[in-house]
Structure formats: C-alpha cells, structure tokens
Amino acid sequence: SAVISQKPSRDICQRGTSLTIQCQVDSQVTMMFWYRQQPGQSLTLIATANQGSEATYESGFVIDKFPISRPNLTFSTLTVSNMSPEDSSIYLCSVPSGMGLRELFFGEGSRLTVL
Amino acid sequence: AQSVTQLDSQVPVFEEAPVELRCNYSSSVSVYLFWYVQYPNQGLQLLLKYLSGSTLVKGINGFEAEFNKSQTSFHLRKPSVHISDTAEYFCAVSAITGTYKYIFGTGTRLKVLA
C-alpha cells in the first residue's frame, strides 16, 4: 500500500486567486493522478502526472487552469488557477499500487471553497 | 469506453439489517472492478476488488461483492450493518489492458439508522 499526504486539507479562497495543492507519497511511484470531486458527485480524473514529462490532461481540463508539477517520484502539485465558485470541490491525489499496480490509493483530499 | 451505473443514490437501512448496494457497468473490453468507501471528510479507501479468479470477493469490514459477467454487475453486500458503515460507496472499473484510468460511479450514500 501507499501512504499519501495532501496539503492543505481545506481552504477558503477568494475568486480570481490561485491555490496550489501538494501531494507527497511515502514511496516512489511512476504515475500520480489528480481527481476532482464536486459537491455530491463522483470523481472525475483531471490529469495524470508523470515524472520527467508533461502531465496528461483529460477532456475538459487544460494546463492553463490546472498546471501540474512532478519534480520527483514522490511528489506532485496541482494548482487551481483563477478560481471561481465552480471550482469549489474536493481535489484528490491518488497513486496506483498493490497487485499489478491495479489498486488506487487516495490521499485525504483537499477541500476548496471559493467565495 | 467504460461506464458505471449505481442505481441507488441513497440507501437507508436499520442497524444489523442486511444491505445490498447495486453496481452495473458497461465496457467493450474486460475490466477490473472495485468498491471504495468514503467516510465523511476523508479520502477514498479500497473495500474490495475483483481482478480474476473466484467471482465472490471478500473485503474489509465484512463486505463482499459478486462479479456477474453475464449481467455486468458487481453488487456489494453486507449481512449485518453497523452505524459506523454510514458512508458514501463508489463502484469503479478499470480496463485490464491499456491505461490505469478508473471510471467511477456516482456513488451510493448508505445511511445506517439506529
């Protein structure tokens, strides 16, 4: 299994500002995933953060809005830029682990509220 | 492409009663199946998974699920629930080959009543 720490756990932000979320894993992993969970909804994959290359974004998500850094095999950041109330969500970092790397382990999430 | 349908958005059940949370999926390729639980203000925790072998899989906290390929279902069951089982439950699939991308259902909120 993998232990994942996210910071901040929650924050209240003003419209138009940006916030960077940090994700630290206790072991080296090739892939790290960033998910968004909007209020009362399921998880949607934002992007896959690959060490040594640019992140791969899913349809509907762009690098200008959600820039991602992956400086090493245990750490990644997701920035939510120019925030609006619609960005109020829980943002979750996850990594594949377990048998065949087919289990996803999640951080505790970062709950953002944009006013 | 894959999709996951959780038919019940909310399931109220009395303590010590049995519960079944339904999950159906659609996929043009073979998939792995998962159930995750999310307690209030926490991240997701893996309950159980089906990768291969026996279609009846047992997970943590007394939960089990049965993979039914013909009905493309992976329903979650527990014979006797506790108050502490109150949480959101997510069913997910991932293609056996290719990327590690997961597709999650919309979740079922289980509320256990005293």
Side-chain angles (χ1 to χ4, degrees):
Chain A
S1 66
V3 177
I4 304 169
S5 303
Q6 276 188 243
K7 293 181 181 179
S9 57
R10 59 178 63 231
D11 207 340
I12 299 174
C13 307
Q14 296 298 317
R15 181 196 299 259
T17 62
S18 299
L19 183 78
T20 296
I21 302 167
Q22 299 179 6
C23 177
Q24 179 75 52
V25 187
D26 69 341
S27 57
Q28 294 185 339
V29 293
T30 305
M31 290 178 290
M32 296 175 76
F33 303 107
W34 287 99
Y35 282 86
R36 181 176 71 182
Q37 185 180 18
Q38 292 177 300
Q41 298 190 29
S42 187
L43 283 75
T44 302
L45 181 63
I46 298 171
T48 302
N50 305 300
Q51 199 273 332
S53 63
E54 283 196 2
T56 304
Y57 289 84
E58 297 299 308
S59 175
F61 298 96
V62 295
I63 187 171
D64 289 347
K65 176 66 176 178
F66 298 101
I68 288 171
S69 78
R70 184 78 199 276
N72 57 53
L73 291 174
T74 63
F75 187 80
S76 177
T77 66
L78 170 76
T79 299
V80 186
S81 303
N82 188 24
M83 286 185 285
S84 67
E86 292 71 35
D87 294 319
S88 297
S89 296
I90 300 173
Y91 293 85
L92 294 143
C93 171
S94 72
V95 301
S97 186
M99 187 189 307
L101 299 180
R102 282 300 181 178
E103 298 177 21
L104 272 188
F105 287 83
F106 287 85
E108 294 288 310
S110 299
R111 183 183 296 268
L112 301 188
T113 301
V114 185
L115 303 178
Chain B
Q2 296 89 45
S3 67
V4 178
T5 302
Q6 291 183 245
L7 296 168
D8 306 302
S9 59
Q10 294 188 60
V11 174
V13 62
F14 285 103
E15 193 173 20
E16 298 183 7
V19 70
E20 177 179 84
L21 305 183
R22 296 180 293 171
C23 173
N24 288 87
Y25 70 93
S26 172
S27 178
S28 56
V29 299
S30 295
V31 293
Y32 298 125
L33 298 126
F34 307 85
W35 276 99
Y36 282 84
V37 59
Q38 185 178 34
Y39 298 104
N41 299 314
Q42 294 187 28
L44 276 73
Q45 179 183 3
L46 180 66
L47 264 182
L48 49 79
K49 61 184 182 291
Y50 174 78
L51 302 181
S52 64
S54 173
T55 57
L56 181 64
V57 293
K58 295 186 183 297
I60 62 172
N61 302 339
F63 284 93
E64 64 180 32
E66 185 156 19
F67 170 49
N68 188 318
K69 189 173 183 179
S70 63
Q71 297 187 5
T72 61
S73 67
F74 191 54
H75 301 332
L76 181 70
R77 303 185 185 99
K78 186 169 183 178
S80 176
V81 295
H82 303 288
I83 296 288
S84 59
D85 293 322
T86 295
E88 189 90 19
Y89 292 80
F90 292 95
C91 181
V93 301
S94 176
I96 288 177
T97 57
T99 71
Y100 293 95
K101 186 175 178 179
Y102 273 48
I103 303 298
F104 286 86
T106 51
T108 298
R109 185 173 299 275
L110 175 64
K111 185 171 177 60
V112 181
L113 308 169

